[in-house]
Amino acid sequence: MKWVEEVSALTKPSEIVWCDGSQEEKTRIEKEMLEKNELIALGGGVYENCYLYRNDPSDVARVEDRTFICSKTQEEAGPTNNWMAPDAAKKTLDGLFDGVMKDRKMYVIPYILGPADSKYSRLGVEISDSPLVVLTTGVLTRMGSIAIEHLKNGGEFVRGLHSMGNLKKEDRYICHFPEDRLLMSINTNYGGNAALSKKPHALRLESIEAKKDGWLAEHMFILEMESATGDKSYAIGALPSGSGKTNLAMIKPPSAFNGWKTRTLGDDLAWFHADEHGKLKVINPENGFFGVAYGTGLNSNPNIIDAIKKNTIFTNVGVTPDGKPWWEGLTKDVPEGVIDWKGQKWDPSSGQPVANKNSRYATPISQYGPKSEAYDDAAGVSPSIIIFGGRRAGLIPLVYEAYNWEHGILLGAMMRVETTAAQAGKVGEVRQDPMAMLAFCGYNMGEYFGHWVEFGKKLKEKPRVFFVNWFRKNEKGEYVWPGFSENFRIIKWMMDRVSGKVDAVATPIGYVPKVEDIDTTGLSVSKSDLEDLLSVDRGGWLEEIKTTKAFFEKFGDKMPKELWDEYYRLEERLKT
Ligand code: GTP
Ligand code: SPV
Ligand code: MN
């Protein structure tokens, strides 16, 4: 309450609103936004309690160059993070926040990350003048009274201060103060910049806590698989933003895999701990999905299509004349008279898409059909498979497996992938994105790699580590692998590896499947294409690892010896 007073003295709002997370509150905020034309009600006889919010066109993705870690020293933030000295950053931000909420309501938004009764869960409070942030946090976390109850028990909490400000790009800041467990974000209203519970709290700040307390906060999906005989197992995986986590989390096995069931626990974030028996325990800190709409349809992700027909907030999608949301991939043909994501009548000759490529839906997990019952389980689940992967038009095989835990960490740390529309800047540029955490690790990534090594020592039984690439292209620029539900064939191979049903080919980069061990029943990919997708190009890999070596060298003596050892073993195998 003291902090709320301080913030209101600084930002000078017209009113303070304490959020309780109730349905009445949600309805009231929606109504106020509708009246001000900040929300558009969707319907068309299909969508129920669904709304469209249009972000400013200059504010539709995370801005990595405006995101700062304000640790005491630059060394703590490491070479992959933008750094500002905490005092200087606070001075600038206090100036920008001074009086910024004049004539606006200030919302106090308490939330829990993780199942309410889990010992792994964490508390936060965001103060924001954005009603969109209230609605989004209401979907993505356990928000309101339930969090207040936990705060009353004296729980520590992260403070997040956010204002839409004036949306001016040059004055946009997303700042993290690890010493104070404080976040400050201004002049943006886009998801991951403004809804501070998500990337700023659950990853950037908690990754630092996780390092201190011996756990890991990761950018990963969590998937449950159940065989025809009722055996359940779990896979978690890191693919960079806009590279397939949500789709893999919601995968529906192809018809050839009769009897197999898949269910979702989480699509973006995973926190892992080792329990007292040395067992890996993973929870999803979130309570909903903030998924990419563009490209999502019955062909790619049939599981989500029903869930997003109610209680969903869409951002930056198009809208049909009868009030349905629309984006490329939802249906085959563009609807007549569609309005584009900027609110203009779409011009087919413009060459511009109807929906923004980073358009999204925010949907509660509770109303999603194939959710795992374990999503709200305080104890978490124990995955036997860890997947790393990303978008690469060439070189990286469809799938390969690490030789051991340390080698698995190397696979994650070596990740070089193409950028997507999820972050502002150039799309399709290959860059190093270790564990899909480049933009989300709140401290020196050399130490982060070392922490992965240490964490592994706590596990009695380590998950197997795999690397995937669904995005290899042929000379014509087409994807060779059909992807989406067909990816289950590869997951099935991973399960067969874990249970020892199949052996594999040892190559310099790791184990690669024998072509005959990938179930291709009903698949259109030819045997020679599959052989191609699984081939290892030594020359190309030697080039690849040169770039990685230069990247690793940036971390100097923070880079763990175990990873260098694995790196040199890999280099040696490739050369000989
Ligand atoms: P963030 O929410 O930004 O972290 O992204 P994400 O990793 O959850 O990615 P998502 O599953 O939303 O996929 C992003 C884009 O990749 C979408 O346009 C998908 O259609 C596309 N995509 C996902 N899986 C596949 C696949 O197996 N093959 C192909 N070709 N495209 C895919
Ligand atoms: C991502 O970019 O990885 C997302 C969307 O999941 S956001 O939460 O906006 O970062
Ligand atoms: Mn993400």
Side-chain angles (χ1 to χ4, degrees):
M1 292 180 76
K2 185 165 160 268
W3 175 56
V4 169
E5 266 171 37
E6 283 167 17
V7 168
S8 93
L10 174 68
T11 60
K12 304 174 185 72
S14 59
E15 191 185 332
I16 299 176
V17 183
W18 290 79
C19 296
D20 61 12
S22 65
Q23 184 58 46
E24 296 76 63
E25 174 180 270
K26 184 174 172 284
T27 308
R28 189 188 70 234
I29 290 174
E30 286 161 357
K31 193 163 160 270
E32 287 172 7
M33 291 178 80
L34 285 167
E35 278 163 8
K36 290 189 203 159
N37 289 321
E38 288 170 6
L39 274 190
I40 294 161
L42 300 169
V46 176
Y47 291 82
E48 228 180 290
N49 280 317
C50 289
Y51 301 94
L52 163 63
Y53 183 90
R54 291 194 186 113
N55 281 106
D56 187 90
S58 71
D59 185 37
V60 292
R62 282 182 296 98
V63 278
E64 294 179 357
D65 59 337
R66 306 301 307 163
T67 300
F68 298 88
I69 303 296
C70 307
S71 45
K72 248 195 218 148
T73 65
Q74 182 157 15
E75 197 188 12
E76 286 165 84
T80 56
N81 279 311
N82 296 316
W83 177 79
M84 274 206 283
D87 289 346
K90 274 187 196 152
K91 208 171 153 212
T92 305
L93 284 160
D94 281 349
L96 291 170
F97 273 101
D98 192 355
V100 77
M101 295 188 191
K102 192 176 169 290
D103 301 327
R104 293 185 194 170
K105 290 184 186 180
M106 177 177 114
Y107 299 93
V108 183
I109 317 162
Y111 61 86
I112 308 176
L113 290 175
D117 301 320
S118 175
K119 61 180 175 189
Y120 304 136
S121 294
R122 302 249 163 175
L123 294 166
V125 178
E126 176 163 353
I127 296 180
S128 172
D129 58 11
S130 164
L132 177 69
V133 166
V134 181
L135 297 182
T136 310
T137 310
V139 171
L140 296 184
T141 71
R142 282 102 174 149
M143 188 274 270
S145 311
I146 188 169
I148 299 270
E149 283 311 309
H150 283 73
L151 283 161
K152 277 186 192 159
N153 301 333
E156 281 220 349
F157 64 97
V158 160
R159 290 150 208 243
L161 172 56
H162 165 255
S163 171
M164 294 186 277
N166 55 19
L167 301 181
K168 236 166 97 184
K169 251 171 139 177
E170 311 81 69
D171 288 332
R172 191 169 292 163
Y173 288 92
I174 297 102
C175 287
H176 306 68
F177 300 89
E179 297 273 322
D180 305 321
R181 303 262 289 150
L182 171 72
L183 304 161
M184 291 177 95
S185 163
I186 192 161
N187 297 325
T188 174
N189 202 26
Y190 165 74
N193 298 332
L196 298 176
S197 61
K198 201 169 169 58
K199 300 302 177 11
H201 178 173
L203 287 185
R204 296 197 194 94
L205 284 188
E206 292 302 346
S207 63
I208 299 171
E209 296 303 299
K211 165 78 166 65
K212 282 189 212 148
D213 297 345
W215 53 286
L216 282 162
E218 295 300 317
H219 189 199
M220 288 189 175
F221 69 84
I222 313 169
L223 169 69
E224 177 178 287
M225 288 94 61
E226 186 180 330
S227 72
T229 52
D231 294 322
K232 279 186 190 166
S233 61
Y234 297 89
I236 51 180
L239 302 115
S241 303
S243 302
K245 283 180 301 302
T246 301
N247 278 274
L248 210 46
M250 298 178 182
I251 193 168
K252 189 175 172 186
S255 53
F257 291 77
N258 216 334
W260 279 92
K261 293 190 189 83
T262 45
R263 301 182 197 95
T264 311
L265 272 95
D267 79 321
D268 198 50
L269 305 178
W271 285 353
F272 16 140
H273 291 76
D275 74 3
E276 59 277 22
H277 310 294
K279 218 171 155 106
L280 177 61
K281 290 290 177 185
V282 177
I283 62 157
N284 173 12
E286 297 193 284
N287 202 25
F289 308 120
F290 186 55
V292 176
Y294 191 96
T296 300
L298 278 173
N299 291 330
S300 58
N301 185 352
N303 278 341
I304 195 68
I305 293 298
D306 279 334
I308 58 180
K309 285 180 184 155
K310 55 183 185 194
N311 309 318
T312 294
I313 309 154
F314 294 91
T315 41
N316 310 322
V317 297
V319 58
T320 65
D322 64 343
K324 293 197 202 87
W326 195 86
W327 54 83
E328 282 74 5
L330 181 61
T331 54
K332 202 167 134 271
D333 299 316
V334 184
E336 196 72 43
V338 72
I339 306 293
D340 73 10
W341 65 277
K342 294 180 183 169
Q344 306 296 319
K345 190 157 183 231
W346 182 66
D347 171 9
S349 68
S350 67
Q352 295 295 314
V354 171
N356 184 274
K357 292 202 171 155
N358 193 35
S359 53
R360 295 199 177 239
Y361 53 81
T363 299
I365 194 167
S366 57
Q367 66 185 39
Y368 167 81
K371 64 178 174 291
S372 161
E373 285 309 317
Y375 90 90
D376 203 28
D377 184 349
V381 296
S382 300
S384 50
I385 292 170
I386 295 183
I387 300 170
F388 293 116
R391 278 174 192 270
R392 283 297 290 274
L395 189 69
I396 315 294
L398 180 60
V399 60
Y400 65 106
E401 181 189 342
Y403 284 122
N404 55 53
W405 179 256
E406 280 81 15
H407 183 223
I409 299 171
L410 180 73
L411 301 195
M414 285 198 350
M415 234 156 109
R416 290 182 70 238
V417 291
E418 293 160 25
T419 51
T420 68
Q423 62 282 108
K426 244 191 174 168
V427 169
E429 211 164 59
V430 175
R431 69 169 184 181
Q432 214 87 34
D433 189 353
M435 281 87 171
M437 283 288 281
L438 180 75
F440 308 116
C441 181
Y443 62 101
N444 192 304
M445 280 198 113
E447 288 180 30
Y448 168 74
F449 300 143
H451 183 49
W452 265 86
V453 174
E454 289 308 310
F455 183 78
K457 290 180 187 161
K458 293 191 186 184
L459 299 177
K460 280 230 179 74
E461 220 174 299
K462 295 180 182 60
R464 299 275 194 103
V465 182
F466 300 86
F467 201 101
V468 300
N469 176 21
W470 316 136
F471 300 94
R472 282 270 284 256
K473 286 183 178 166
N474 62 20
E475 325 62 59
K476 287 185 247 158
E478 303 155 335
Y479 292 119
V480 182
W481 178 250
F484 301 104
S485 43
E486 307 301 351
N487 295 335
F488 190 75
R489 298 170 192 273
I490 305 305
I491 308 233
K492 175 65 170 47
W493 178 77
M494 295 174 186
M495 288 191 272
D496 289 344
R497 286 292 294 161
V498 170
S499 62
K501 273 198 199 126
V502 294
D503 56 7
V505 188
T507 77
I509 61 166
Y511 292 116
V512 169
K514 295 181 171 167
V515 173
E516 63 270 25
D517 288 333
I518 305 279
D519 188 336
T520 52
T521 318
L523 187 71
S524 58
V525 178
S526 71
K527 192 160 176 279
S528 82
D529 276 347
L530 197 53
E531 272 165 5
D532 243 20
L533 284 168
L534 294 171
S535 62
V536 177
D537 161 17
R538 278 172 191 252
W541 272 97
L542 279 166
E543 282 305 308
E544 173 86 0
I545 67 167
K546 261 195 220 159
T547 321
T548 295
K549 189 176 183 196
F551 177 71
F552 285 172
E553 278 165 353
K554 285 196 203 170
F555 300 100
D557 60 6
K558 299 277 189 211
M559 200 63 200
K561 181 180 172 296
E562 290 87 345
L563 234 60
W564 274 128
D565 289 348
E566 284 300 332
Y567 174 88
Y568 285 114
R569 268 179 224 135
L570 168 65
E571 189 185 68
E572 191 58 29
R573 289 194 299 265
L574 284 166
K575 282 183 176 159
T576 57

